[in-house]
């Protein structure tokens, strides 16, 4: 099992920034990638960003490319999502996920999920 705990969500004005953190513990070798997904009210959960744990290759949804940056700290077993130039449409619950993943944007390939953290962007 891998346990994931997100933090860093909150309320921010449009154009502002937030940094989300995800702490991983447990059988952390049971993953080759970690990702961030989000779910807005009334919508399905969607891919935001992912990182290959060993080599650090990053992937982004088109909607966040150039504004969000995913990074990791191997020693601390942490993954981060730096979110800049936030827009009201970024409002959602953000989830951290981990697993042995082939297609990083595919939700069902992730075995482990955090509880989520709310991000609200006001206009």
């Amino acid at each position: 099992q891998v346990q994931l705990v997100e933090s860093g969500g909150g309320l921010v004005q449009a154009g502002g920034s937030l940094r989300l953190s995800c702490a991983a513990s447990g059988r952390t070798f049971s993953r080759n990638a970690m990702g961030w997904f989000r779910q807005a009210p009334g919508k399905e959960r969607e891919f935001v960003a992912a990182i290959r744990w060993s080599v650090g290759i990053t992937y982004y949804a088109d909607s966040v490319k150039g504004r969000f940056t995913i990074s990791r700290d191997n020693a601390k077993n942490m993954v981060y999502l730096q979110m800049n130039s936030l827009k009201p449409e970024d409002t959602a619950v953000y989830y951290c996920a981990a697993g042995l993943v082939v297609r990083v944007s595919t939700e069902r390939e992730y075995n482990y999920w955090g509880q989520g953290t709310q991000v609200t962007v006001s206009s």
Side-chain angles (χ1 to χ4, degrees):
Q1 290 286 343
V2 176
Q3 293 79 43
L4 303 173
V5 179
E6 303 100 333
S7 60
L11 173 65
V12 64
Q13 287 188 332
S17 299
L18 281 175
R19 189 175 86 149
L20 304 183
S21 300
C22 176
S25 61
R27 298 168 64 90
T28 53
F29 55 84
S30 299
R31 51 118 199 253
N32 62 2
M34 292 188 69
W36 288 96
F37 289 75
R38 66 186 181 186
Q39 188 168 22
K43 295 187 177 181
E44 293 190 352
R45 191 154 55 183
E46 64 175 3
F47 170 74
V48 175
I51 187 166
R52 292 286 183 194
W53 193 256
S54 60
V55 295
I57 297 173
T58 58
Y59 308 83
Y60 297 95
D62 288 343
S63 59
V64 306
K65 206 170 291 183
R67 300 188 297 122
F68 291 11
T69 303
I70 188 171
S71 61
R72 81 215 190 289
D73 185 326
N74 297 54
K76 296 182 179 179
N77 264 320
M78 297 286 295
V79 66
Y80 306 98
L81 186 68
Q82 178 66 44
M83 306 185 294
N84 298 328
S85 302
L86 282 161
K87 304 175 182 180
E89 51 263 45
D90 294 318
T91 295
V93 177
Y94 283 70
Y95 297 90
C96 176
L100 291 172
V101 175
V102 175
R103 294 161 293 187
V104 296
S105 62
T106 302
E107 180 181 341
R108 64 178 180 272
E109 294 210 11
Y110 290 82
N111 306 99
Y112 307 103
W113 292 83
Q115 81 287 353
T117 186
Q118 176 71 47
V119 171
T120 303
V121 184
S122 63
S123 57

